[in-house]
Amino acid sequence: MVEAFAVASGKGGTGKTTSTLSLGMALAEEYDVTVVDADTGMANLLFHTGLTDVETTLHDLLIGDREASVEEAVYERFGMRVVPCGTSLAAFERADPDRLQDVVATLAADTDVLLLDSPAALGSKSAILPIVLADRIVVVLQPTIPSLSDGLKVQEYARSYGTGTAGVLFNKVHDDEDVRPIADKSERYFDGPTLAAVPDEDAARAARRAGGPLLAHAPESDAARAYHDAASTLDVRTGESERVAERFRSAVIPDTP
């Protein structure tokens, strides 16, 4: 039984990768979770999970003349299954984004929750694929009107392909910021609820420097507790794995966004 979430934002710098891993670790206390770095052009999940030296990554599964199996690119980390992506520009240029459909379908057969760490913008086919393939999106925003606007563009695009919105996660919230006015607006315009407001803490930056997820590095921090709240608020809807996998394989992917 599986549901696929694309963690998206519409712009860079909102903390999507930190949020993807933190939600994954929190959800893994109840579900079997698989996290995929679907940002094939600007991958950085491998730096957050200690996987910089692994032999096989998502890039190897997307390049037609390589014979890697999906399982070779899956690594057990922090109570989850993690599929990192490489950082080679040459590999990115050779990768066929269409092959992501089969990769996601294969992974869906053996997990409860699939989290796709998505690219920041919608400027290419590889960037929009995670949103088109997902059941729903989790929109990561900073508590500003421009960030809200960027997130709404992602939701609008997701809707056009039948992808719903699971909720909005406010990240990097400073002590002097009142998130309530922006959250009130978001709940009027977004289909899903506000999952949590994650404070901007040194713990998150320290975790990145240490090369580990926030929930492993500082599990008692306010930010970690906020991600646990977000995971508790997220209503995971399960679908039959074979049907979900077939939907991934048969999805109509646009050539351009």
Side-chain angles (χ1 to χ4, degrees):
M1 310 296 283
V2 61
E3 182 171 16
F5 297 96
V7 182
S9 67
K11 66 171 293 184
T14 59
K16 284 187 292 74
T17 299
T18 294
S19 296
T20 302
L21 287 172
S22 297
L23 282 174
M25 286 187 66
L27 287 166
E29 295 179 5
E30 183 176 355
Y31 302 98
D32 289 328
V33 174
T34 301
V35 174
V36 181
D37 192 344
D39 189 349
T40 57
M42 296 289 287
N44 62 17
L45 187 145
L46 73 172
F47 299 115
H48 292 248
T49 52
L51 294 171
T52 53
D53 295 326
V54 298
E55 184 173 341
T56 306
T57 73
L58 181 65
H59 273 161
D60 296 293
L61 307 180
L62 303 182
I63 295 174
D65 60 359
R66 297 190 181 176
E67 297 183 354
S69 69
V70 172
E71 279 305 314
E72 289 178 89
V74 177
Y75 303 88
E76 297 285 344
R77 289 292 188 278
F78 306 103
M80 306 175 292
R81 302 170 80 226
V82 178
V83 181
C85 188
T87 57
S88 163
L89 177 59
F92 168 66
E93 291 174 342
R94 293 176 60 198
D96 178 3
D98 288 336
R99 294 171 69 92
L100 183 63
Q101 289 179 257
D102 279 334
V103 172
V104 170
T106 300
L107 293 169
D110 192 30
T111 196
D112 297 327
V113 175
L114 193 59
L115 294 174
L116 307 175
D117 188 11
S118 305
L122 300 176
S124 67
K125 185 175 182 178
S126 60
I128 61 175
L129 261 171
I131 293 171
V132 175
L133 291 176
D135 297 293
R136 291 186 291 166
I137 56 173
V138 173
V139 186
V140 181
L141 304 176
Q142 291 179 262
T144 66
I145 295 297
S147 184
L148 191 73
S149 176
D150 290 331
L152 284 170
K153 293 171 189 174
V154 174
Q155 175 175 263
E156 181 180 359
Y157 196 86
R159 280 177 178 171
S160 70
Y161 281 89
T163 302
T165 301
V168 174
L169 180 67
F170 287 101
N171 193 29
K172 298 184 178 181
V173 179
H174 296 103
D175 290 339
D176 59 350
E177 288 180 312
D178 184 0
V179 76
R180 287 173 296 178
I182 298 294
D184 289 343
K185 287 183 172 61
S186 76
E187 292 190 356
R188 289 201 298 271
Y189 298 125
F190 286 94
D191 297 334
T194 298
L195 300 174
V198 182
D200 184 46
E201 285 190 318
D202 288 337
R205 290 181 284 274
R208 287 194 294 273
R209 290 193 297 270
L214 169 67
L215 267 65
H217 182 80
E220 301 302 321
S221 64
D222 289 340
R225 283 192 285 269
Y227 280 118
H228 277 287
D229 290 342
S232 297
T233 305
L234 188 66
D235 63 313
V236 177
R237 305 168 185 171
T238 56
E240 200 279 317
S241 295
E242 290 184 6
R243 290 184 182 179
V244 172
E246 181 54 35
R247 181 177 65 76
F248 292 150
R249 290 192 174 97
S250 61
V252 177
I253 308 298
D255 288 326
T256 56

